[in-house]
Every structure is written in C-alpha cells, then in structure tokens.
Amino acid sequence: MVLNPKAYESDNATTDKPKSGLVLLNVTTGKNWQFEKVQKYEFSNDSKYIAYLLHSEQSTNKDSKSKKIVGSDLYLRYLDGESEILFQNVTEFAFDTNSTYLAYVVATSDGKKNGVYYLDLASNFLFPKTVESKENTFYSSLSWNKKNPILAYISAKENKKNQPDSCNLNLWMADLKENQKVINSSDCPETWFIPFKNKLQWTEDGKRLFFGFKPIEDTTIEFKKVVYNDSNYFNVDSIRYTSDIDLWHSEDPRIKPHERIWFKENVEKLYQSIYYLDEKKFVQLATREIQDVQITDNPYYTIGYTDKPYLKEITWNYFFKDLYKINLYDGSNKLIVSKIEENGNLSPLGKFVCYFNKKHWYLYDCKSDSTINLTSRLEFPFYDEDHDLPKEPSSYGLAGWLDNDEAVLINDKYDFWKFYTGRGYGFLNQTIAEGRTSNYTFRIYNLDKDKKSFHPDETLLLSAFDQKNKTLSVLKAQLSILGFEIMLEEKKDRKSVV
C-alpha cells in the first residue's frame, strides 16, 4: 500500500515536495516493512517478487530544460526470503505475464551503460542480461506481450541537448534472444514522429501492438531567456517576447483560459496507431481531424472522436463530438453520428457501436453500416428523468454486453434492460420492472475489471437502492431468467421476485 507523506510536510515544502512511500504487509503474520520515496512498485503475477523504484535524488530544477535523463535505484525483493537485489540508474521496469522475466531500462549520467536489460526469474542465478545496450541512447515504454515472450520498447538517439531524438519502435523475442527494429524514425508518416514518452499496449491475443505518433508541429515551444543590452532594451520584439499578454480573436476556436487548460492536458497527447506482428506493418488510426481513438482488442473496428466542428460552440454551450467508425486494418473511417454529448460504446468483438443521442439509445452495425433506435419502441424514458439543466438530458449508462455481442444491457432510472443485437432486435426488462414499480434502482456490480462481457446464463450481483427510504440491498440475478433474488438488505420485508 502507498505511504503518503504528512499533509503539513507537503504544505511546508516550497520546492522539493516530500515523496510517497510504500508499506509492504504480510497479511498472515501482520509483519510490515516501510520504504521511503517510492516512485513505482509492481508485484509479479506469481506473487513471488515485488519490484520497487525509488525517486531520483537529483533536485527537480525546473529551469534546467535540457537536464539529462538519469535513472534511480530499483530493488527486486523475494517475498518468501525477504532478500533484495539492487539495480542502479533504472528509469522503468516491467514483469512479463508469466513472471518469467523482469525487464528494466538503465540510464547513466555518462550514457555508457544505457540499455534495456532483463532477469530470467526462472533461473537459479539472477544475473542481468542485455536486450540492447548502446552508448548515448535512451530507452523507454517497456511492454510485454500477453501471449508470447515478446518485449516492445522505444529507443532513441541522444541529441546535442542531451534529450532523446529520432525514436524507433523495437521488439525483443525472448525465446530467440533476437532484436527487431520494426519501425524506424525514417518510416514515420510525413510530418509525424514517434515520441519518446509513449504508451505501448498489446492486444489480448498478442497479435497487435498499439503505440502513438505525434505531429511534428505540436512539439513544445522553446522559450529562451532574453539578455538585455542598450540595443534591444526598448526593442518591440524584445518587449513582446517577454510580455505576459494573450491575444485572442473572436474567430479563435478556443478562448484563452480554455486553451491554456487544453494545452496542459494535451501537450503529451498520443495519436493512436497499431502495429501488426504477423504482417509486419503499421496503420495510423488517429489523425489531426480524428484525434481521439479508442484502444480495443477486437481485430476489426474501433471508434474515434473529433470535437473540432464545435470548439467555438463549446464556449457557451455543452461539449459535443462526432463519432466515427475506424477500420483497424487500413485506418479508413466513416462517420456514425454527429454532435453527440456522450461517448459511444464499442462491443467487445467490434460488431456494434451503441450510443446515446437526443434521449434515445441507438445500435450501429459496423458491418452493414446501419443504425436502429433501440428505445423508441418503449414508453419508459432512458434519459435522466430528474434533469434540470439547459441542455439535453444524459443517459443512465450502459451496463454491459453479452458474449459474442449477442445483446447489450442498458439502464433506465430504475431497472436494466436486455436489447438483442439480432433476432429482430427484441428486448426484455431483466428486473421485470420491479424497480419502477417499487421505487428501487437496480444496478449491476461487476467485480472483475477485466471482464468485457457476460455469459448469457451468468449470475450477476446487483445493488438495489430504495429511493424512498435510502437503503441499499445486494441481490443476485441470472441473465437467462427474469427477476432477482435478495441476498442481503438493510430492511428485511421483501421476498424473492422470480
């Protein structure tokens, strides 16, 4: 668990804020260990090891724009024996899914031992071995394939300002002990580059790797300190360069306060792309127009958004966006719906997109390029019945999907419904309208964060909130049977309803 510093210590600190620590607790014996200034920690999936990386002892001087990347201390702790191994100058690390390898990146002050290294945790001797090591080269963004022992990472040359430049995407095949540079900096689309601070994410089947590009013109502006002398002290350019004045035009898409916030949140923004392991090709998915693209595990389609047509309107109205379908294999896109307020919901297999617009839920078929209004056939509202703002009411949310994209579960204020994606788009009130009848709100408890869909015969945990008495109950319901069964409630005067 995280050990946070005392509040008054943080408030009293002016420059270097106190860092969080780590508490390791043996839940069987009650014994605990505390570690200070821990930047990151991670357990191996077999629970034999914990690795934790300390914060660097270097002072965080904001004025040093070109400060060289140097790592800090990484400890690998064997949980049964309480023994530890220290690795110095580490910037990041990652366990593989099978807990066979620990990979880590080294960045030294002189750059001579920079590289990616690994430990074979299945071996009796934990000696570091080299994945790739080159002098004055930086490495980042370690990501293990979930199905095969393949490590993805970014490599970059060190430029004259001691910063990473000309980044490449690399794969290391652990079984073959072989390195592949799959995307060179020269392979990037025109006016785009691979950023060093990247996010590499493999799909569940291990066949595709998501990574990010950035447009060249979006690099951070460098501000040089102006040194005054007799010739430039009254110079207009010098005065303008050092002034704190924002110029805004009525036709600008964003007002200045919004623009500042947007820039801070998006300065490191990645434009999603995908690399195909078998075909050895990459496809750019996000563009300057469709900047936000969802990462997905299905091999066919994903969804993307753009708010560019509505940036001025957002100033006085609500947040709007256009929703697009994007073909994962060739990057082509097609508009699904314009000017919606809520995000779309892509089905786990990529067959459908369910979205809420103007008080109704719609289902878009990605293959046939057709849309159906799911809720117009019902007299019950699926929008916020208590809405009192000068905008379109929002939905109560989507509750999940069934396996094979067979059906989608949607909430109204009280109950949740099952809408089939085939069979004539039939629908059922899964809680038999007991919520609306008795003034209860039923919601699904999904305790598995990695779960993408429910089995058609699965038994679910539900919460039931009494809108009148403000009490909460826990129920269970089987998706193949309408109704529910009470497991635990605050007042015990209700029976099972089946």
Side-chain angles (χ1 to χ4, degrees), residues 245-272:
I245 298 175
D246 287 326
L247 297 178
W248 176 73
H249 191 276
S250 60
E251 294 300 319
D252 285 350
R254 292 184 177 92
I255 60 174
K256 287 303 175 182
H258 185 196
E259 189 178 71
R260 289 194 195 98
I261 295 173
W262 181 89
F263 182 79
K264 289 179 180 178
E265 294 176 348
N266 291 270
V267 65
E268 301 294 345
K269 182 179 181 62
L270 297 174
Y271 291 70
Q272 292 296 340

Side-chain angles (χ1 to χ4, degrees), residues 221-237:
I221 300 172
E222 293 186 16
F223 293 96
K224 298 180 180 179
K225 185 178 180 180
V226 176
V227 179
Y228 293 109
N229 53 45
D230 292 336
S231 62
N232 68 5
Y233 190 74
F234 296 102
N235 184 278
V236 174
D237 291 334

